[in-house]
Amino acid sequence: MAIKSTLTKTLDDLAIATDLLLSAKNGVRTYAVALTETATPEVRKVLKKQLDKAIELHEKIAQYMIDNEMYHAYDIEEQVNHDLKKADKALDLAKG
């Protein structure tokens, strides 16, 4: 039972980190679009500052995932293999 609990925690951590990374990426994209649509220098300055913070957050989350072997950003083959292993583990959990 401890193995299943550890596996569930690992998959939960991965799901949370992945969701957070995708949300951060969406935030970067949203700020960038807003920045291109603004007409006033004051708003542009605020959006640039927020965009920089969003980029920093994305970088921190991605680095956390890389450090914890959740994300293999520099090796697509390794990432695909990692994803397949996690999918197999998730299917095993579903079987009970």
Side-chain angles (χ1 to χ4, degrees), residues 14 70 72 76-89:
L14 176 63
M70 297 177 177
H72 305 276
I76 189 69
E77 187 174 327
E78 187 175 335
Q79 183 64 46
V80 169
N81 289 332
H82 174 77
D83 291 346
L84 290 172
K85 286 178 188 174
K86 294 297 181 190
D88 287 341
K89 288 180 183 179

Side-chain angles (χ1 to χ4, degrees), residues 2 4-5 13 19 31 36 38 40 46 48 51 58-59 62 64-65 67 74-77 86 96:
K4 188 173 182 179
S5 178
D13 290 349
D19 187 54
Y31 280 121
T36 65
T38 190
T40 63
V46 170
K48 281 183 181 179
L51 176 60
H58 180 273
E59 181 181 2
Y64 170 84
M65 292 179 72
D67 292 346
Y74 305 106
D75 187 339
I76 189 69
E77 187 174 327
K86 294 297 181 190

Side-chain angles (χ1 to χ4, degrees), residues 10-68:
T10 300
L11 290 174
D12 287 347
D13 290 349
L14 176 63
I16 291 167
T18 301
D19 187 54
L20 188 56
L21 183 68
L22 292 173
S23 294
K25 183 180 284 191
N26 188 49
V28 168
R29 192 176 297 122
T30 301
Y31 280 121
V33 169
L35 188 59
T36 65
E37 298 295 327
T38 190
T40 63
E42 296 84 9
V43 174
R44 189 175 296 114
K45 184 177 179 180
V46 170
L47 289 173
K48 281 183 181 179
K49 186 175 181 179
Q50 291 301 109
L51 176 60
D52 287 342
K53 288 182 180 183
I55 291 168
E56 288 173 16
L57 177 62
H58 180 273
E59 181 181 2
K60 287 178 183 178
I61 298 164
Q63 193 58 54
Y64 170 84
M65 292 179 72
I66 291 167
D67 292 346
N68 288 280

